[in-house]
Amino acid sequence: MEGQTPQRPLAHDVVERVVAVQGFQDIFKHPISFDPDKGDFVQRKLADSEVVVALLDLLQRRPGVFLERYGKIMGRVDIELLAKHAHEDPEVQHWAAQLLTQGVSEATRRRRRRQKLQELMSDDGEDCYFSVHMIRQRHPRLFFEELARFGISHASPSVPMTPGQGAPKFSEFLVNRLEVMLEEETEKPQTEAREEFTELEKTDARAVFLHKAQQRFLDGLDDGVDYEAIDNDPALDDYRQLEQDAQDAYFQSDFES
């Protein structure tokens, strides 16, 4: 019946996105058949192109089963699209409703944010997300409280706002100005704050500074970050780790009982 399954181009797009999700290979089941020469059942690993064909066939013939198997790694938009195109299929509507209303658990939200944090941490460029310079732009008060008192260098707030090459951005000026205000709020005289610190103490201070910046990211306190997209991104799931966690929980409960 027309409207029961998505059109071929849409189906192909959905399948491509599912296959691209990290951990897809951990949940895809390759076919098993009886091998008369070996006298036993053996699994035949499909080529990537064969996997796509198999998924397309399943999606076209039994979209409800497709949602049941792969809905947990699909994006919300794709689930809604399938529900719309198969609006007369009760099995599709059942799984779509269950997937769309269950929401994201707190554990899933934290796990996906940690995975995103690891991706951001893998970039070690000068202006990477978790560089001292970029953290200072986002959280100038944190920089002042954790690093400035150790004499760790930062741009001078007195740099003139003149146009031309090398002129600081307005955001840089605002950050510098806020640091001046924070310094004025401190009760200690400036001379008392200018103490000598060892390199080890400075290294420890940077570690604390980075940890607190990471925690703010995980807590959803970084402006400009699309946390909704991160929290609902199944591509950030490590399914091998999820399976291991489930096994650990099972054996732990069995041991305790």
Side-chain angles (χ1 to χ4, degrees), residues 16-197:
E16 283 189 341
R17 285 190 285 270
V18 167
V19 172
V21 172
Q22 178 183 0
F24 164 75
Q25 292 295 340
D26 297 325
I27 61 176
F28 179 78
K29 303 301 182 184
H30 292 270
I32 298 177
S33 59
F34 184 78
D35 187 336
D37 294 333
K38 296 183 178 180
D40 198 359
F41 288 91
V42 296
Q43 184 181 66
R44 184 175 73 87
K45 185 174 177 59
L46 300 180
D48 292 345
S49 59
E50 293 177 307
V51 170
V52 171
V53 171
L55 291 177
L56 281 171
D57 179 66
L58 178 63
L59 180 55
Q60 289 289 327
R61 291 188 301 105
R62 303 187 63 186
V65 175
F66 185 90
L67 268 182
E68 178 185 5
R69 293 181 183 176
Y70 306 109
K72 63 182 179 180
I73 65 171
M74 292 172 61
R76 185 180 186 88
V77 172
D78 281 341
I79 295 174
E80 291 175 342
L81 284 173
L82 291 186
K84 177 181 178 181
H85 282 268
H87 60 276
E88 296 182 12
D89 187 325
E91 189 176 12
V92 169
Q93 297 306 310
H94 165 76
W95 287 110
Q98 182 170 320
L99 291 165
L100 293 173
T101 58
Q102 66 185 8
V104 178
S105 68
E106 182 61 24
T108 298
R109 181 180 296 109
R110 299 293 291 186
R111 185 178 64 249
R112 289 175 178 173
R113 290 186 185 184
R114 288 189 180 280
Q115 180 62 31
K116 186 63 178 180
L117 184 147
Q118 292 301 318
E119 292 180 3
L120 293 172
M121 288 293 296
S122 65
D123 181 4
D124 57 359
E126 182 178 351
D127 288 331
C128 65
Y129 191 83
F130 282 108
S131 66
V132 172
H133 169 70
M134 296 305 294
I135 297 173
R136 172 174 168 262
Q137 293 290 323
R138 296 191 300 274
H139 305 296
R141 180 180 290 273
L142 178 65
F143 175 86
F144 175 77
E145 293 174 347
E146 299 298 335
L147 292 187
R149 66 190 182 90
F150 286 90
I152 296 177
S153 61
H154 58 283
S156 170
S158 62
V159 175
M161 291 289 294
T162 54
Q165 186 176 6
K169 298 179 180 179
F170 185 61
S171 59
E172 180 79 6
F173 169 76
L174 291 178
V175 171
N176 289 329
R177 181 57 193 152
L178 179 55
E179 287 179 359
V180 172
M181 295 170 63
L182 290 171
E183 290 177 2
E184 292 173 350
E185 290 177 4
T186 58
E187 297 179 358
K188 287 185 178 182
Q190 186 68 15
T191 54
E192 293 184 18
R194 301 294 184 181
E195 300 176 359
E196 293 295 328
F197 296 94

